[in-house]
Amino acid sequence: MDVELLNDDRPAVSTVVTDERRPRKRGRKPANGREEPLNHVEAERQRREKLNQRFYALRAVVPNISKMDKASLLGDAISYITELQKKLKEMESEKDVQQNSPDVDVQMGNNEVIVHVSTPLETHPVSTVINVFKETQVDVVDSKFSASNNTVFHTFVVKTQSGSEQMTMGFFFSPLLTMACERKF
Amino acid sequence: MDVELLNDDRPAVSTVVTDERRPRKRGRKPANGREEPLNHVEAERQRREKLNQRFYALRAVVPNISKMDKASLLGDAISYITELQKKLKEMESEKDVQQNSPDVDVQMGNNEVIVHVSTPLETHPVSTVINVFKETQVDVVDSKFSASNNTVFHTFVVKTQSGSEQMTMGFFFSPLLTMACERKF
DNA sequence: AATCACACGTGAAGC
DNA sequence: TGCTTCACGTGTGAT
């Protein structure tokens, strides 16, 4: 009975409020009018499942998920990524500072070669010790350096100012042990 | 989350095909008398838009997007996050190694105090130089150390083995300048 | 033609 | 009660 082509009244549904242009085509029903391919619906089902699976996996790697909402999850993931990127960039720049540091100069003589290495104090392992020397205003008489297999030794000889008061020096240097282990640089 | 055990649900599925009539509730909708609340459809529209917006933003922060596909995007984002986490964890552990390093020992005498500082060679600024010394098997006769305002100076006196051949030594030490600047440690 | 990926409107479930 | 979020089937443009 209904052989007419009035199936174009469907857009009338959505064009209630200034919907939009719709460059549709005519009579596009799959011949049967009934019964979609059933493949399509299944394929779409799988696509949805895969997507949700990824959402679930994303929740696993992003900490501090504020809400279970999908959009919020994506937002959290985005801010988390940018946060990681920022943190990593900072660390790499710090590394670069440490790597650009050593400045090497070689002087060759007849029987010997003299190698000068200068680096910024900040990133040097003994910086904390040196800084304590400066802060306490003690005189460094001598400083030695030696390297064994895989360890570097620095030895500093410090002169007690005006006749040595061991208690005072102990007061100065006891913080050294703890400072050297705690201080961040 | 919800598992459909009633898979026979295909009754009033598409209102598209058989839309001309209203098989369900009558005159239920407010004011418009026509279609669905129109709020709902608009709300859903906004939700979709927001979600896609987040997807677009996610594409901006994730590099190396293999395909424009949504699922692939999520997959790339996930692997990218885990990659960043891994990289960051490595760097932090390296930092910890550098911070735990300095080992300080203080010996107090009458007129002087001797401070020993030992650190692992790997992270020491002169490690590259020391390693070159080892690799070329030269003898380090003397090594001095001094620190000025904000710079540390290391001076190594190296003895030429068996009568000094400057060309050979130059061959040994010219790589030193470049190596010290390039090598990663 | 067949497949893929997307956006849409719609019913339902949780507050 | 309405508001929000979700899954679903479907239409459609690409490839």
Side-chain angles (χ1 to χ4, degrees):
Chain A
M1 283 195 277
D2 50 353
V3 198
E4 78 292 2
L5 301 172
L6 54 78
N7 49 4
D8 60 349
D9 63 349
R10 179 193 41 91
V13 172
S14 51
T15 49
V16 175
V17 195
T18 70
D19 197 339
E20 71 271 350
R21 67 290 154 200
R22 177 164 293 230
R24 69 178 166 273
K25 302 167 183 178
R26 315 205 51 186
R28 202 58 183 88
K29 296 311 169 191
N32 202 333
R34 252 289 179 254
E35 182 174 356
E36 291 282 333
L38 180 75
N39 251 344
H40 186 210
V41 38
E42 177 60 23
E44 175 67 10
R45 222 182 293 229
Q46 287 184 1
R47 171 183 166 271
R48 254 177 328 222
E49 190 178 354
K50 190 167 79 174
L51 239 172
N52 283 332
Q53 190 175 330
R54 299 292 167 88
F55 269 107
Y56 194 76
L58 186 61
R59 281 198 179 85
V61 296
V62 176
N64 303 331
I65 314 103
S66 53
K67 288 165 57 185
M68 284 294 277
D69 176 15
K70 275 185 183 176
S72 304
L73 169 64
L74 286 190
D76 289 343
I78 293 173
S79 52
Y80 181 58
I81 287 182
T82 56
E83 179 189 344
L84 284 186
Q85 288 174 335
K86 183 177 145 198
K87 215 175 262 181
L88 211 146
K89 196 152 280 185
E90 288 179 1
M91 282 194 151
E92 279 185 356
S93 66
E94 284 187 13
K95 269 234 157 173
D96 283 353
V97 170
Q98 293 179 0
Q99 287 182 353
N100 287 337
S101 44
D103 207 12
V104 180
D105 175 45
V106 180
Q107 294 179 359
M108 287 186 283
N110 274 344
N111 292 342
E112 63 183 19
V113 177
I114 300 179
V115 179
H116 291 272
V117 180
S118 64
T119 81
L121 176 61
E122 307 163 9
T123 59
H124 197 284
V126 301
S127 60
T128 55
V129 178
I130 299 291
N131 285 328
V132 171
F133 289 160
K134 284 180 186 168
E135 291 169 7
T136 58
Q137 291 180 330
V138 296
D139 288 334
V140 178
V141 176
D142 194 13
S143 60
K144 294 192 183 310
F145 170 88
S146 68
S148 74
N149 255 344
N150 46 16
T151 309
V152 176
F153 298 98
H154 287 271
T155 306
F156 301 94
V157 180
V158 180
K159 184 177 176 188
T160 307
Q161 58 188 4
S162 70
S164 79
E165 302 194 2
Q166 297 199 2
M167 285 196 353
T168 306
M169 298 307 289
F171 179 71
F172 279 154
F173 288 103
S174 62
L176 204 55
L177 292 95
T178 54
M179 282 181 69
C181 293
E182 290 175 1
R183 186 184 284 192
K184 312 294 183 187
F185 57 94
Chain B
M1 291 296 192
D2 53 351
V3 181
E4 295 288 349
L5 298 178
L6 307 172
N7 41 6
D8 61 346
D9 53 354
R10 190 170 295 270
V13 171
S14 65
T15 56
V16 177
V17 180
T18 60
D19 193 34
E20 77 287 357
R21 280 290 289 115
R22 183 172 284 264
R24 243 167 307 208
K25 319 180 175 178
R26 328 202 56 168
R28 197 64 147 52
K29 298 322 164 190
N32 206 333
R34 216 76 185 110
E35 291 313 315
E36 293 281 333
L38 176 78
N39 258 342
H40 185 211
V41 37
E42 176 60 23
E44 177 67 10
R45 221 180 292 221
Q46 287 184 0
R47 171 183 166 272
R48 263 187 314 242
E49 190 178 353
K50 190 167 78 175
L51 239 172
N52 283 333
Q53 190 175 328
R54 300 292 168 86
F55 269 107
Y56 196 75
L58 186 62
R59 280 198 179 86
V61 296
V62 176
N64 303 332
I65 314 103
S66 53
K67 288 166 56 185
M68 284 295 276
D69 176 17
K70 274 184 183 175
S72 304
L73 169 62
L74 286 190
D76 290 342
I78 293 173
S79 53
Y80 181 58
I81 287 183
T82 57
E83 179 189 344
L84 285 187
Q85 288 174 335
K86 183 178 143 197
K87 217 176 260 182
L88 212 147
K89 196 151 281 183
E90 287 179 2
M91 282 194 148
E92 279 185 357
S93 65
E94 283 187 14
K95 268 236 156 171
D96 284 352
V97 170
Q98 292 180 0
Q99 286 181 355
N100 288 336
S101 44
D103 208 13
V104 180
D105 175 47
V106 180
Q107 294 179 359
M108 288 186 284
N110 274 343
N111 291 342
E112 61 183 22
V113 177
I114 300 178
V115 179
H116 289 272
V117 180
S118 63
T119 82
L121 175 61
E122 305 165 10
T123 61
H124 197 283
V126 301
S127 61
T128 55
V129 178
I130 299 291
N131 284 329
V132 171
F133 288 160
K134 284 179 185 168
E135 291 169 6
T136 57
Q137 292 180 331
V138 298
D139 288 334
V140 177
V141 177
D142 195 13
S143 60
K144 295 192 185 309
F145 171 87
S146 69
S148 72
N149 255 344
N150 46 15
T151 309
V152 176
F153 298 98
H154 286 270
T155 306
F156 301 93
V157 179
V158 180
K159 184 178 178 188
T160 306
Q161 58 188 4
S162 71
S164 77
E165 302 194 2
Q166 295 199 4
M167 285 193 355
T168 306
M169 297 306 289
F171 178 73
F172 279 155
F173 288 104
S174 61
L176 204 54
L177 293 95
T178 54
M179 282 182 67
C181 294
E182 290 174 3
R183 186 185 285 192
K184 313 293 183 185
F185 57 93

Coordinates of all heavy atoms in Angstrom, one line a residue, chain A residues 61-127:
Chain A
V61 N 46.3 3.9 33.2 CA 47.6 4.5 33.2 C 47.5 6.0 33.7 O 48.6 6.6 33.9 CB 48.2 4.5 31.8 CG1 48.5 3.0 31.4 CG2 47.4 5.1 30.8
V62 N 46.4 6.5 33.8 CA 46.2 7.9 34.3 C 45.9 7.9 35.7 O 44.8 7.4 36.1 CB 45.2 8.7 33.4 CG1 45.0 10.1 34.0 CG2 45.6 8.7 32.0
P63 N 46.7 8.5 36.6 CA 46.4 8.6 38.0 C 45.5 9.8 38.3 O 45.3 10.7 37.5 CB 47.8 8.8 38.6 CG 48.5 9.6 37.6 CD 48.0 9.1 36.3
N64 N 44.8 9.7 39.4 CA 44.0 10.8 39.9 C 42.9 11.1 38.9 O 42.6 12.3 38.6 CB 44.8 12.1 40.1 CG 46.0 11.9 41.1 OD1 45.9 11.0 42.0 ND2 47.0 12.6 40.9
I65 N 42.1 10.1 38.6 CA 41.0 10.3 37.7 C 39.9 11.0 38.6 O 39.3 10.3 39.5 CB 40.5 9.0 37.1 CG1 41.6 8.2 36.5 CG2 39.5 9.3 36.0 CD1 42.0 7.1 37.4
S66 N 39.6 12.2 38.2 CA 38.6 12.9 39.0 C 37.2 12.3 39.0 O 36.6 12.0 40.0 CB 38.5 14.4 38.6 OG 38.3 14.4 37.2
K67 N 36.7 12.1 37.8 CA 35.4 11.5 37.6 C 35.4 10.4 36.6 O 36.4 10.2 35.8 CB 34.4 12.6 37.1 CG 34.1 13.6 38.2 CD 33.4 14.8 37.6 CE 32.1 14.5 36.8 NZ 31.6 15.6 36.1
M68 N 34.4 9.5 36.7 CA 34.4 8.4 35.8 C 33.9 8.8 34.4 O 33.9 8.0 33.5 CB 33.5 7.3 36.4 CG 34.1 6.5 37.5 SD 35.5 5.6 36.9 CE 34.7 4.1 36.3
D69 N 33.6 10.0 34.3 CA 33.1 10.6 33.0 C 34.1 10.4 31.9 O 35.3 10.6 32.1 CB 32.8 12.0 33.3 CG 32.3 12.7 32.0 OD1 32.0 12.0 31.0 OD2 32.3 14.0 32.0
K70 N 33.7 10.1 30.7 CA 34.6 9.9 29.6 C 35.3 11.2 29.3 O 36.6 11.2 29.1 CB 33.9 9.4 28.4 CG 33.7 7.9 28.3 CD 33.1 7.5 27.0 CE 32.8 6.0 27.0 NZ 32.1 5.6 25.8
A71 N 34.6 12.3 29.1 CA 35.2 13.6 28.8 C 36.2 14.0 29.8 O 37.3 14.4 29.5 CB 34.1 14.6 28.6
S72 N 35.8 13.8 31.1 CA 36.7 14.2 32.2 C 38.0 13.3 32.1 O 39.1 13.8 32.4 CB 36.0 14.0 33.5 OG 34.9 14.8 33.5
L73 N 37.8 12.1 31.8 CA 38.9 11.2 31.7 C 39.9 11.7 30.6 O 41.1 11.8 30.9 CB 38.5 9.8 31.3 CG 39.6 8.8 30.9 CD1 40.5 8.6 32.0 CD2 39.0 7.5 30.4
L74 N 39.4 12.1 29.5 CA 40.3 12.6 28.4 C 41.0 13.9 28.9 O 42.1 14.1 28.7 CB 39.4 12.9 27.2 CG 39.0 11.6 26.4 CD1 38.4 12.1 25.0 CD2 40.2 10.7 26.2
G75 N 40.2 14.7 29.6 CA 40.8 16.0 30.1 C 41.9 15.7 31.0 O 43.0 16.3 30.9
D76 N 41.7 14.8 32.0 CA 42.7 14.4 32.9 C 43.9 13.8 32.2 O 45.1 14.1 32.5 CB 42.2 13.4 33.9 CG 41.2 14.0 34.9 OD1 41.2 15.2 35.0 OD2 40.4 13.3 35.5
A77 N 43.7 13.0 31.2 CA 44.8 12.4 30.5 C 45.6 13.5 29.8 O 46.8 13.4 29.8 CB 44.2 11.4 29.4
I78 N 44.9 14.4 29.2 CA 45.6 15.5 28.5 C 46.5 16.3 29.5 O 47.7 16.5 29.2 CB 44.6 16.4 27.8 CG1 43.9 15.7 26.7 CG2 45.3 17.7 27.3 CD1 42.8 16.5 26.0
S79 N 45.9 16.7 30.6 CA 46.7 17.5 31.5 C 47.8 16.7 32.1 O 48.9 17.2 32.4 CB 45.8 18.1 32.6 OG 45.1 17.0 33.2
Y80 N 47.6 15.4 32.3 CA 48.6 14.5 32.8 C 49.8 14.4 31.8 O 51.0 14.5 32.2 CB 48.0 13.1 33.1 CG 49.0 12.2 33.6 CD1 49.7 12.4 34.8 CD2 49.3 11.0 33.0 CE1 50.6 11.5 35.3 CE2 50.2 10.0 33.5 CZ 50.8 10.3 34.7 OH 51.7 9.4 35.2
I81 N 49.5 14.3 30.5 CA 50.5 14.2 29.5 C 51.4 15.5 29.5 O 52.6 15.4 29.6 CB 49.9 13.9 28.1 CG1 49.4 12.5 28.0 CG2 50.9 14.2 27.1 CD1 48.8 12.2 26.7
T82 N 50.7 16.6 29.5 CA 51.4 17.9 29.5 C 52.3 18.0 30.7 O 53.4 18.5 30.7 CB 50.5 19.0 29.3 OG1 49.5 19.0 30.4 CG2 49.7 19.0 28.0
E83 N 51.8 17.6 31.8 CA 52.5 17.6 33.1 C 53.8 16.8 33.0 O 54.9 17.2 33.3 CB 51.6 17.1 34.2 CG 52.3 17.1 35.6 CD 51.4 16.4 36.6 OE1 50.2 16.2 36.3 OE2 52.0 16.0 37.6
L84 N 53.6 15.6 32.5 CA 54.8 14.7 32.3 C 55.8 15.3 31.4 O 57.0 15.3 31.6 CB 54.3 13.3 31.8 CG 53.7 12.4 32.7 CD1 53.4 11.0 32.1 CD2 54.5 12.2 34.0
Q85 N 55.3 15.8 30.2 CA 56.2 16.4 29.3 C 57.0 17.6 29.9 O 58.2 17.7 29.7 CB 55.4 17.0 28.1 CG 54.9 15.9 27.2 CD 54.0 16.4 26.1 OE1 53.4 17.5 26.3 NE2 53.8 15.7 25.0
K86 N 56.3 18.4 30.7 CA 57.0 19.5 31.3 C 58.1 19.0 32.3 O 59.2 19.5 32.2 CB 55.9 20.4 32.0 CG 56.5 21.6 32.7 CD 55.3 22.4 33.3 CE 55.8 23.1 34.6 NZ 54.7 23.5 35.5
K87 N 57.7 18.1 33.1 CA 58.6 17.6 34.1 C 59.8 17.0 33.4 O 61.0 17.2 33.8 CB 57.9 16.5 34.9 CG 58.3 16.5 36.4 CD 57.5 15.5 37.2 CE 56.4 16.2 37.9 NZ 55.6 15.3 38.7
L88 N 59.6 16.3 32.3 CA 60.7 15.6 31.6 C 61.6 16.6 31.0 O 62.8 16.4 30.9 CB 60.1 14.6 30.6 CG 60.9 13.4 30.3 CD1 60.0 12.2 30.0 CD2 61.9 13.6 29.1
K89 N 61.0 17.7 30.4 CA 61.8 18.7 29.8 C 62.7 19.4 30.8 O 63.9 19.7 30.5 CB 60.9 19.7 29.1 CG 61.6 20.6 28.1 CD 60.6 21.0 27.0 CE 60.4 19.9 25.9 NZ 59.6 20.3 24.8
E90 N 62.2 19.6 32.0 CA 63.0 20.3 33.0 C 64.2 19.4 33.3 O 65.3 19.9 33.4 CB 62.1 20.5 34.3 CG 61.1 21.6 34.2 CD 60.3 21.7 35.4 OE1 60.6 20.9 36.4 OE2 59.4 22.5 35.5
M91 N 63.9 18.1 33.5 CA 65.0 17.2 33.9 C 66.1 17.1 32.8 O 67.3 17.1 33.1 CB 64.5 15.8 34.1 CG 63.8 15.7 35.5 SD 63.5 14.0 35.9 CE 63.6 14.1 37.7
E92 N 65.6 17.1 31.5 CA 66.6 17.1 30.5 C 67.5 18.3 30.4 O 68.7 18.2 30.1 CB 65.9 16.8 29.1 CG 65.5 15.4 28.9 CD 64.9 15.2 27.6 OE1 64.8 16.1 26.8 OE2 64.7 14.0 27.2
S93 N 66.8 19.5 30.6 CA 67.6 20.7 30.6 C 68.6 20.7 31.7 O 69.8 21.1 31.6 CB 66.7 21.9 30.7 OG 66.1 21.9 32.0
E94 N 68.3 20.1 32.9 CA 69.2 20.0 34.0 C 70.4 19.1 33.6 O 71.5 19.4 33.8 CB 68.5 19.4 35.2 CG 67.7 20.4 36.0 CD 67.2 19.9 37.3 OE1 67.7 18.8 37.7 OE2 66.3 20.5 37.8
K95 N 70.0 18.0 32.9 CA 71.1 17.1 32.4 C 72.0 17.8 31.5 O 73.2 17.7 31.5 CB 70.4 15.9 31.7 CG 70.2 14.8 32.7 CD 70.8 13.5 32.2 CE 71.1 12.6 33.3 NZ 71.6 11.3 32.8
D96 N 71.4 18.6 30.6 CA 72.3 19.3 29.6 C 73.2 20.2 30.3 O 74.4 20.4 29.9 CB 71.4 20.1 28.7 CG 70.7 19.2 27.6 OD1 71.1 18.0 27.6 OD2 69.8 19.7 26.9
V97 N 72.8 20.9 31.4 CA 73.6 21.8 32.1 C 74.8 21.0 32.6 O 76.0 21.4 32.6 CB 72.9 22.4 33.3 CG1 73.9 23.2 34.2 CG2 71.9 23.4 32.8
Q98 N 74.6 19.8 33.1 CA 75.6 19.0 33.7 C 76.6 18.5 32.6 O 77.8 18.3 32.8 CB 75.0 17.8 34.5 CG 74.3 18.2 35.7 CD 73.7 17.0 36.4 OE1 73.9 15.9 36.0 NE2 73.0 17.3 37.5
Q99 N 76.0 18.3 31.4 CA 76.9 17.7 30.4 C 77.7 18.8 29.7 O 78.8 18.5 29.2 CB 76.0 17.0 29.4 CG 75.5 15.7 29.9 CD 74.7 14.9 28.9 OE1 74.4 15.5 27.8 NE2 74.3 13.7 29.2
N100 N 77.2 19.9 29.5 CA 77.9 21.0 28.8 C 79.1 21.5 29.7 O 79.9 22.2 29.2 CB 77.0 22.1 28.5 CG 76.1 21.8 27.3 OD1 76.4 20.9 26.6 ND2 75.0 22.4 27.2
S101 N 79.1 21.1 30.9 CA 80.0 21.8 31.9 C 81.4 21.6 31.6 O 82.2 22.6 31.5 CB 79.6 21.3 33.3 OG 79.4 19.9 33.3
P102 N 81.9 20.3 31.4 CA 83.4 20.2 31.5 C 84.1 20.9 30.4 O 83.8 20.7 29.2 CB 83.6 18.7 31.5 CG 82.4 18.1 31.0 CD 81.3 19.1 31.2
D103 N 85.0 21.7 30.8 CA 85.8 22.5 29.8 C 87.3 22.0 29.9 O 87.9 22.1 31.0 CB 85.7 24.0 30.1 CG 85.9 24.8 28.9 OD1 85.9 24.3 27.8 OD2 86.1 26.1 29.0
V104 N 87.8 21.5 28.8 CA 89.1 20.8 28.9 C 90.1 21.6 28.1 O 89.9 22.0 27.0 CB 89.0 19.3 28.3 CG1 90.3 18.7 28.4 CG2 87.9 18.6 29.1
D105 N 91.3 21.7 28.7 CA 92.4 22.4 28.0 C 93.7 21.5 28.2 O 94.0 21.1 29.3 CB 92.6 23.8 28.6 CG 93.9 24.4 28.0 OD1 94.0 24.4 26.8 OD2 94.7 25.0 28.8
V106 N 94.4 21.3 27.1 CA 95.5 20.4 27.2 C 96.8 21.2 26.8 O 96.9 21.9 25.8 CB 95.4 19.2 26.2 CG1 96.6 18.3 26.3 CG2 94.1 18.5 26.5
Q107 N 97.8 21.1 27.7 CA 99.1 21.7 27.4 C 100.2 20.6 27.3 O 100.4 19.9 28.2 CB 99.5 22.7 28.5 CG 98.6 23.9 28.6 CD 99.0 24.9 29.7 OE1 100.0 24.6 30.4 NE2 98.3 25.9 29.9
M108 N 100.8 20.6 26.1 CA 101.8 19.5 26.0 C 103.2 20.0 26.1 O 103.6 21.0 25.5 CB 101.7 18.9 24.6 CG 100.4 18.0 24.5 SD 100.3 17.1 23.0 CE 99.8 18.4 21.9
G109 N 104.0 19.4 27.0 CA 105.4 19.8 27.1 C 106.3 18.7 26.6 O 105.8 17.8 25.8
N110 N 107.5 18.7 27.0 CA 108.4 17.6 26.5 C 108.2 16.3 27.2 O 107.9 15.3 26.5 CB 109.9 18.0 26.8 CG 110.4 18.9 25.7 OD1 109.8 19.0 24.6 ND2 111.5 19.6 26.0
N111 N 108.3 16.3 28.4 CA 108.1 15.0 29.1 C 106.8 14.8 29.8 O 106.5 13.8 30.5 CB 109.2 14.8 30.1 CG 110.6 14.6 29.5 OD1 110.6 14.3 28.3 ND2 111.6 14.8 30.2
E112 N 106.0 15.8 29.7 CA 104.7 15.7 30.5 C 103.6 16.5 29.8 O 103.9 17.4 29.0 CB 104.9 16.2 31.9 CG 105.2 17.7 32.0 CD 105.5 18.1 33.4 OE1 105.7 17.3 34.2 OE2 105.5 19.4 33.6
V113 N 102.4 16.2 30.1 CA 101.2 16.8 29.5 C 100.4 17.3 30.7 O 100.1 16.5 31.7 CB 100.4 15.9 28.6 CG1 99.2 16.6 28.1 CG2 101.3 15.4 27.5
I114 N 100.0 18.5 30.6 CA 99.1 19.1 31.7 C 97.7 19.3 31.2 O 97.5 19.9 30.1 CB 99.7 20.4 32.2 CG1 101.1 20.2 32.7 CG2 98.7 21.0 33.3 CD1 101.7 21.5 33.2
V115 N 96.7 18.7 31.8 CA 95.3 18.8 31.4 C 94.6 19.6 32.5 O 94.6 19.2 33.7 CB 94.7 17.4 31.3 CG1 93.3 17.5 30.9 CG2 95.5 16.5 30.3
H116 N 93.9 20.6 32.0 CA 93.1 21.5 32.9 C 91.6 21.2 32.6 O 91.2 21.2 31.5 CB 93.4 22.9 32.6 CG 94.7 23.4 33.1 ND1 94.9 23.8 34.4 CD2 95.9 23.5 32.5 CE1 96.2 24.2 34.5 NE2 96.8 24.0 33.4
V117 N 90.9 20.9 33.6 CA 89.5 20.7 33.5 C 88.7 21.6 34.4 O 89.0 21.7 35.6 CB 89.1 19.2 33.9 CG1 87.6 19.0 33.7 CG2 89.8 18.2 33.0
S118 N 87.9 22.5 33.9 CA 87.1 23.4 34.7 C 85.6 23.1 34.5 O 85.1 23.0 33.4 CB 87.4 24.8 34.3 OG 87.1 25.1 33.0
T119 N 84.9 23.1 35.6 CA 83.5 22.8 35.5 C 82.8 23.8 36.5 O 83.4 24.2 37.5 CB 83.1 21.4 36.0 OG1 83.1 21.3 37.4 CG2 84.2 20.4 35.4
P120 N 81.5 24.1 36.3 CA 80.8 24.9 37.2 C 80.7 24.2 38.6 O 80.5 23.0 38.7 CB 79.4 25.1 36.6 CG 79.3 24.0 35.6 CD 80.7 23.7 35.1
L121 N 80.7 25.0 39.6 CA 80.7 24.4 41.0 C 79.4 23.8 41.3 O 79.3 22.7 42.0 CB 81.0 25.5 42.0 CG 81.0 25.1 43.5 CD1 82.0 24.0 43.8 CD2 81.2 26.3 44.3
E122 N 78.3 24.4 40.8 CA 77.0 24.0 41.3 C 76.7 22.5 41.2 O 76.2 21.8 42.1 CB 75.9 24.7 40.4 CG 76.1 26.2 40.4 CD 75.3 26.8 39.3 OE1 74.5 26.1 38.7 OE2 75.5 28.0 39.0
T123 N 77.1 21.9 40.0 CA 76.8 20.5 39.8 C 77.9 19.6 40.2 O 77.9 18.4 40.0 CB 76.5 20.3 38.3 OG1 77.6 20.7 37.5 CG2 75.3 21.1 37.9
H124 N 79.0 20.2 40.8 CA 80.1 19.3 41.1 C 79.8 18.6 42.5 O 79.2 19.2 43.4 CB 81.3 20.2 41.3 CG 82.6 19.4 41.3 ND1 83.0 18.7 42.4 CD2 83.6 19.2 40.3 CE1 84.2 18.1 42.1 NE2 84.5 18.4 40.8
P125 N 80.2 17.4 42.6 CA 79.9 16.6 43.8 C 80.4 17.2 45.1 O 79.8 17.0 46.1 CB 80.6 15.3 43.5 CG 80.7 15.2 42.1 CD 80.9 16.5 41.6
V126 N 81.4 18.0 45.0 CA 81.9 18.6 46.3 C 81.4 20.0 46.6 O 81.9 20.7 47.4 CB 83.5 18.6 46.3 CG1 84.1 17.3 46.1 CG2 84.0 19.6 45.2
S127 N 80.4 20.4 45.8 CA 79.9 21.7 45.9 C 79.4 22.0 47.3 O 79.6 23.1 47.9 CB 78.8 22.0 44.9 OG 77.7 21.1 45.1

